[in-house]
Amino acid sequence: MMAPTPVQRVLVALDASPSSLAALEAAARLAAWVGAELAGLYVEDEALLRGADLPLTRVVGSFSGQVRPLDRSGIERQLRAQAARARQAIEAVAVRSRLRWTFRVTRGSVTASLHEAASEADILSLGRGRAPTRMGRTTTAFLESSGVPVLLLDRPRRSGQAVVTVYDAQPGSDEALELARTLASGERTPLIIVLRGGDKELDELEDFLANRLRGQGAKEARFYRLGRGDASSLARLNPGKGIGMLILPRVSALGKGMAELLRDLECPVLVIRKSAESAS
Amino acid sequence: MGLPRELNAAELYRKSDSAAFDFQTTRDLSDGVRILGQPRAVESVRFAVGMKHPGYNLFALGPAGTGRQFVIRHFLEEEASRRPVPPDLCYVNDFASPNTPKLLELPAGVAIRLKAEIDDLIEEISTALPGAFESEEYQARLQAMQQEFTEENEKKIEQLQQEAQSIGLAMLHTPMGIVFAPQKDGEVMSPDAFNALPEDERKRIESAIEGMQKKLQGILRGLPRLQRELRNHAKQLNEETTEVAIGQLIEDLKQKYADFERVRFHLDEMRQDLIGHARELLQGAEGQDESPIPAYGSPMSRRYRVNVLVDNSEASGAPVIYEDHPVYESLVGRIEHMSHMGTLVTDFSLIRAGALHQARGGFLVLDARRVLTQPYAWDGLKRALTSRRIRIESPGQALGLVSTVSLEPEPAPLDVKVVLLGDQSLYYLLCAYDPDFAGLFKVAADFDDRLERDTDSERDYAHLIAELIRKHSLRPFDRGAVARVIEESARSVGDSERLSTHVGHLSDLLLECDHWAGGAGAEVVGADNVERAIEAQTYRVDRVRERLQEGVLRGTVDIQTEGMHVGQVNGLAVLQLGTFAFGKPSRITARIRLGKGEVINIEREVELSGPIHSKGVLILSGFLSARYAAESPLSLSATLVFEQSYGGVDGDSASSTELYALLSAISGLPLRQSLAVTGSVNQYGQVQAIGGANEKIEGFFDLCRARGLTGDQGVLIPATNVKHLMLRHDVVEAVRAGRFHIYAVRTIDEGIELLTGVEAGEAGDDGQFPPDSVNGSVARRMQELAERRLAFARAASSPETPGPEVST
């Protein structure tokens, strides 16, 4: 079932690390279900190249701790090899998922290159990497400055994992719900809608959404009333299977920092930041 | 001297008196096991069974089919039922050293219960453990621990990054590792900008970079220690969780086995092992390591199971085990292997019991020949009996040829009585060539193949027949049939005063009698059915005898049964083909000439005779010299031969026959060809007993009857063989009718008188024999030969005198 969403392009920033390759799988599945193109981007970090040009630059092995000399040609070789691996990875995934795909290598500042590429995409997906706090800062920067929804990827999804979205009747909620519904019905996985708001609003919200979903012929969705409560209980939403993807209308939809949220949930998170108007 | 005594028909066959039996058919005979004869063997078995000391194992020696096994089984089972049920045996894993599984010896019935309860325990644990490890408490504690580790690491890296920034350095991540570079305005400094810096500043930056690199190295080096700490904490958490999940389950089981110290000890070790391996076991339970063979279960469950080797829960006394295929491994047990990922693996659960394990506390019966012919089985058995322990190892290990890692199960203590069944020759060979044998098998039960025949033993024999009939579900035998079977038993041992103890042959005969009775539609087996069975038995194996007799009847082989002939007499030989023996007449001739006193046995010259036969012929020389040439040199050369004999001959049963031929040849008196002779002779001319008298008489009778009985024909047998006669009915009937004669001969003189029809003649006081007697003729002829030889010797020494003419 193809989704009627306007998503055309899912941009994946790749660095060929195990986590980014794993995240690629999740991005590919999302792209497949919304019928979008998968665009791979590899950024050769110019800061690295500059650093390599400096005299007496040394690299400390991240596993061995050994100090080795490093020059520009060495770092360029490594970056090329990494880009090649990233290309192979996206190609393999795209062919398997029968997706249209592109892959591009740019050189420059990572942030600037991503911004530039994101302007041509509908969803930008980023790997979380090994160190969530550090990446959290980069992603936070993106979430705050990017005009496109950002998918924060963690590990490949397993079958049966629920798609969870947060609904608070604020801008972005409807898009998030629509995307979640499409994903859940396409993958035949449970859909869980986390309702947020005051106690009085929750009843109304649930009735309203239940009716709307019935009208769309959607499978039964489960509602979870979080109210104004703490988001940490979300981790136990789908016991045994876990959460396959969390779709948030905004960064602050759950009322806590993104880094903290990611640590608690360990699942891909898609943040819809654009308003409904700008998306169409 | 006189003629030998002619035997009457009653002496030729000792009938069994069926009228003396107190039953009509064998159905009237009561049940009950009777052991026929064998008092010596029975006493030995009783003694061996009762002796508690080691080394008093039993060797039952005697021909197969003499009821050895029956007697042994009877006594062993009787003794075994009185003895207590021996303990169970099981092997369990030695968690500290899996190569040496531990042995548990438990009272009968306890092992199988322990196994069931441990199986249940494993079942319970396999549900309790995953529950404990999936619990919120466990997950939360584990996550907190991992989080702490991750945060601690990240914090250090973060701090390092901040420190680097504070001194104007950027920390960059490359695929190979981490690079520190000077930065300016948040950007990594370009080489030009860097080179433009004053020397001091560059040096400061370089040393700052080095300092940062060292700090980073310090953090990275500390990582393994942190990881180890994390692992230790996680392990401790796992152990605590496992202890909570399983502790009480094991404690409950320990209570049940409070009386068995080794079981309690094993359960304690099992608890420690479960605690140490809980995570691995959970992974195994998830299906990764399921054995391809369902019966063997997963490695996890196998590790803790009980391998019951010997289960005596159903036993009511000590065991009596008969191992009919005593290969090495079926005696001492074996360690099986199974294929796992292309290699052969084993563990304590694949240890299998041998017959020695099964027979512990009781008896083990083995066939000696089979044990000796199976490679290493004898050595394995001796080793176990000597050390009184059963050590399970492959022959390769036992011989030190294989040194791959394998199991060395704790040896089981051995208290068993071994009974070997074998024939006499095997027993004496083992005594002679195996120095260990006498020490290990101190008791021999010597089973005889015959027993004395009297009224009592005939009655016992009737009971044995009844027992066998019941055992094989045959038609009942009437009294006449039983009597006939008993007579046949006497005949089979060639002695009218003995009976065969060969139960195997007896059973065969009874089965065959039943078969023929069935063919005749009889409800009860009668004597005629027995007769039919015996005839059929003979007929089936009779072809060679018939072919040989055919040769004689057609004249190919020259045997005369009428007329008189000098130097020629009918001898009798016995041929044994398998289980069938028959008599074969053979023409023996003798020729003499002047000579130096040697009797040449042509058979011996061409090596066709055995040593006993040669001995018999030499005895003849002794007899001739002593009787006829005591005072003068024996001056003849005699040649003796079995005419038309192309196989070898042995035995001295023809020595009297040869002597008659020789006496006839010397005296020139012809011998009756209607008589056949058997019997050995000593140097005094006394005729001595021989074997196979029945077959020999019947052999000659068959030939004469085929040619037509003249009423003149008969056989001379030694008088000492009369008691052995159990002749065929047709022979007995012919004798009764006076158409065939059997003579019991005591001396050569009796025999020669009958054969020549001339008085043998006794030496007078002067040592001379009457001139018309046989002996007189022989002595005269010998004297003539001696004189001629003397004359010949004289002529030879004076060349003028021509030599005398010599003829025989």
Side-chain angles (χ1 to χ4, degrees), chain B residues 276-293:
Chain B
H277 291 84
R279 294 299 297 181
E280 297 160 37
L281 302 177
L282 281 175
Q283 280 157 11
E286 274 172 19
Q288 293 283 332
D289 286 312
E290 273 299 317
S291 162
I293 309 161

Side-chain angles (χ1 to χ4, degrees), chain A residues 42 45-48 50-70 74-75 78-79 82 85 109 130-134 137 236 263 266, chain B residues 136 143 147 150-151 154 157-158 161-162 165 172-182 186-192 194-195 202 206 209 212-214 216-217 220-221 223:
Chain A
Y42 181 83
D45 190 352
E46 64 179 5
L48 281 182
R50 245 199 328 274
D53 284 339
L54 290 169
L56 300 170
T57 299
R58 300 282 186 275
V59 61
V60 182
S62 48
F63 174 72
S64 64
Q66 282 180 341
V67 179
R68 288 184 293 269
L70 185 73
I75 197 98
Q78 285 171 29
L79 293 175
Q82 217 171 30
R85 279 207 301 282
S109 149
R130 274 191 314 166
T133 49
R134 188 171 61 80
R137 206 171 49 225
R236 292 188 295 278
R263 192 165 61 215
E266 289 191 338
Chain B
E136 212 166 298
Q143 274 172 11
Q147 192 63 42
T150 317
E151 276 176 10
E154 283 167 3
I157 301 278
E158 188 82 26
Q161 191 162 17
Q162 280 168 10
Q165 263 172 349
L172 305 170
H173 290 260
T174 78
M176 283 176 76
I178 294 167
V179 172
F180 291 99
E187 291 289 330
V188 172
M189 205 181 271
S190 70
D192 294 342
F194 181 74
N195 287 331
R202 285 207 305 269
E206 272 167 29
I209 286 177
M212 292 310 289
Q213 282 171 347
K214 288 213 169 82
L216 177 60
Q217 278 179 318
L220 293 174
R221 281 187 194 133
L223 267 184

Side-chain angles (χ1 to χ4, degrees), chain B residues 23-30 466 470 475-477 523-524:
Chain B
F23 60 91
Q24 289 303 319
T25 70
T26 50
R27 207 182 278 145
D28 305 334
L29 291 172
S30 58
R470 255 191 294 278
R475 291 172 179 78
F477 280 45
E523 287 296 311
V524 174

